[in-house]
Amino acid sequence: TRIASSSPRRHLRLFPPPLPYLLPCLPDLFYYCRYASYKPYVVSRDPYVVVLDEFMSADEADAIVDIAQRDGGKHFVSSESSAGTQGKGEIKPVVSQHRTSSTQWCADGCWNESAVARIRERVAAITGVPISHAEAPQLLKYHPGQAFQMHHDYIPLQKGLPCGPRVYTFFLYLSDVEEGGHTHFQRLGVAVRPKKGRAVLWPSTLNEAPDEIDMRTVHSAEAVLRGVKISANIWVHTHNYLAARDRTCVGSVPPAPPSPEQ
């Protein structure tokens, strides 16, 4: 397994490479030049998994942690998973047995905080997908010994709903971790170490079939061994998630964020 650390493992020899050697690297080079300030590097090219080593500043990460820890951290609850569907096809939540972290959704007062708004806009710019296609950020906290076993972010039920499935995961590390807590992509042989300000972007669906799951991006949150890991998921859908959420047509339980005018 390759472990992504604080610097890229791939270095491009630009002088003097023959054209056939350079062509496969052009997508990587274009991405790096466009978003160089975020220190991006590629850890998998099929499918693409991109690490943005300085996606946000330490101050931005700390600001989101402060929001997550407001009111003494009481907004964190035991993580949930699905136990089938209920009502209008919504997922029935139960306390997860394979995900031992605590979770909260960044809705209500959290959604419009300036640090959160900047991150949401940054995610939309990098993915090229409007903010309206993304769920409210899901904030996570892992104490020593806590983990999330191998899983996939794709929810099959959503394929037939107006929101469409999750097509991208944008994962943010909001704290440093002394030991453990890697994001491990078992089928790609890649593990990304937590680092405050770092982000990882990967697809949940196939490039040639955006509604179909890409099983190559199954992953796990490895157990934290020392320290506390605080992180966030931003899931981006194929269609307008917020409009579908207003009509209770997303098949999931996250609360709706405030409308744009709020």
Side-chain angles (χ1 to χ4, degrees):
T1 298
R2 292 172 289 129
I3 297 181
S5 59
S6 59
S7 60
R9 293 298 182 94
R10 179 183 291 110
H11 299 276
L12 301 182
R13 288 177 56 250
L14 296 183
F15 303 102
L19 186 59
Y21 178 87
L22 182 57
L23 282 176
C25 301
L26 286 179
D28 295 2
L29 186 61
F30 171 78
Y31 194 94
Y32 183 84
C33 292
R34 186 173 183 181
Y35 300 110
S37 62
Y38 304 135
K39 302 294 189 293
Y41 57 97
V42 174
V43 294
S44 170
R45 295 183 62 185
D46 189 21
Y48 267 96
V49 177
V50 179
V51 175
L52 298 105
D53 208 49
E54 296 182 9
F55 176 71
M56 62 187 132
S57 68
D59 287 345
E60 287 174 324
D62 289 343
I64 298 175
V65 169
D66 288 344
I67 296 166
Q69 301 278 40
R70 67 194 185 283
D71 302 325
K74 70 177 184 181
H75 299 277
F76 278 110
V77 297
S78 297
S79 293
E80 297 177 333
S81 59
S82 170
T85 59
Q86 61 182 355
K88 298 180 181 179
E90 293 187 349
I91 292 172
K92 181 180 180 181
V94 294
V95 174
S96 177
Q97 298 301 309
H98 61 280
R99 181 184 193 180
T100 52
S101 61
S102 52
T103 305
Q104 64 170 290
W105 292 95
C106 181
D108 302 322
C110 173
W111 177 263
N112 287 322
E113 290 286 345
S114 58
V116 176
R118 287 196 301 273
I119 295 303
R120 291 191 290 110
E121 291 169 359
R122 207 169 294 164
V123 168
I126 290 174
T127 61
V129 182
I131 293 172
S132 59
H133 286 45
E135 299 178 35
Q138 183 192 57
L139 305 174
L140 309 164
K141 183 192 289 187
Y142 292 84
H143 288 283
Q146 294 184 328
F148 191 178
Q149 297 174 15
M150 191 166 65
H151 63 283
H152 204 285
D153 295 338
Y154 184 95
I155 299 176
L157 172 67
Q158 292 179 330
K159 178 181 176 180
L161 295 178
C163 64
R166 293 169 174 170
V167 64
Y168 293 127
T169 294
F170 219 109
F171 191 79
L172 316 177
Y173 299 102
L174 303 175
S175 68
D176 291 316
V177 179
E178 293 179 52
E179 185 178 1
H182 294 65
T183 304
H184 186 192
F185 298 87
Q186 286 81 357
R187 298 190 180 185
L188 302 178
V190 169
V192 181
R193 180 176 61 84
K195 174 195 167 191
K196 183 191 291 188
R198 175 177 286 165
V200 190
L201 171 62
W202 69 85
S204 289
T205 60
L206 296 166
N207 186 57
E208 63 275 14
D211 285 338
E212 301 296 333
I213 189 171
D214 188 342
M215 286 302 299
R216 296 173 296 176
T217 52
V218 292
H219 55 282
S220 61
E222 299 297 307
V224 171
L225 302 179
R226 289 189 299 143
V228 176
K229 174 184 173 183
I230 302 179
S231 53
N233 283 304
I234 298 179
W235 287 303
V236 181
H237 288 253
T238 53
H239 303 303
N240 189 322
Y241 179 88
L242 297 186
R245 183 64 179 80
D246 289 343
R247 291 181 284 149
T248 321
C249 294
V250 296
S252 57
V253 295
S259 61
E261 60 271 10
Q262 287 182 286

